[in-house]
Amino acid sequence: VPEFFKQARRILKPDGLFLASTFGERTLQELRNSLYIAEQERKGGFAPHVSPFTRVSDIGNLLTGAKLALPTVDTEDIKIGYSSMFTLLQDLQGMGQGNGLLNASSSLSRSTLAAASAIYQRLYGTLDGRIPATYQIIYMIGWSPHSSQPQ
């Protein structure tokens, strides 16, 4: 990842804008927590089933490390309601999202999934019976250095 930021800076014209966004660490926190609790209860341990996402501080460090000028980072949490955890999982699968961890356990038992769904509903369910899924978006801006920029 650091090399990506350095390459982006390298190809920008002087005073060129680098603008990007990515998911942040709070993304799918409800799903991550529910799966963790369910698996911990059933197996006495857990394997991560939701890929880790980037911390806001890491993005700032990457922008600075690439020597992009005037780095700016902002976040926004978007909550989307789903009828169930299984609908959320189908939506993620439809987006081509899967666990990107190389050594992640490939499957969860039906009982663990059922328990995670019940836990999700109990901990995060809304009065209308839906469950929220948080998507934290990290927005980042940096500029290719130029003498016209404030120092």
Side-chain angles (χ1 to χ4, degrees):
V1 175
E3 192 59 32
F4 166 79
F5 283 85
K6 290 176 185 173
Q7 290 299 320
R9 181 191 171 275
R10 186 185 63 74
I11 63 173
L12 287 171
K13 294 179 182 179
D15 203 32
L17 173 66
F18 173 78
L19 176 66
S21 63
T22 190
F23 287 126
E25 66 186 323
R26 288 194 305 264
T27 297
L28 300 174
Q29 64 189 358
E30 304 90 350
L31 177 62
R32 182 182 303 112
N33 293 340
S34 299
L35 290 170
Y36 169 82
I37 293 167
E39 198 164 30
Q40 187 75 354
E41 287 176 350
R42 269 137 203 81
K43 295 183 177 178
F46 73 98
H49 295 283
V50 177
S51 297
F53 293 100
T54 310
R55 294 189 332 227
V56 175
S57 61
D58 291 340
I59 294 295
N61 292 337
L62 288 165
L63 291 169
T64 304
K67 302 199 182 339
L68 286 162
L70 308 169
T72 303
V73 179
D74 197 8
T75 65
E76 174 182 21
D77 283 2
I78 298 171
K79 291 195 184 269
I80 298 177
Y82 290 91
S83 59
S84 72
M85 184 187 85
F86 299 105
T87 306
L88 166 59
L89 293 174
Q90 287 175 334
D91 196 27
L92 293 172
Q93 185 178 28
M95 291 187 291
Q97 301 299 313
N99 188 349
L101 298 171
L102 293 176
N103 59 354
S105 174
S106 60
S107 63
L108 291 162
S109 69
R110 286 181 190 225
S111 69
T112 300
L113 282 171
S117 180
I119 291 165
Y120 202 136
Q121 185 65 47
R122 188 173 64 244
L123 293 178
Y124 305 105
T126 59
L127 294 176
D128 62 358
R130 296 178 67 77
I131 57 162
T134 300
Y135 295 88
Q136 181 188 34
I137 312 299
I138 301 175
Y139 303 99
M140 60 197 95
I141 300 172
W143 298 85
S144 180
H146 187 266
S147 59
S148 67
Q149 295 169 347
Q151 299 298 317

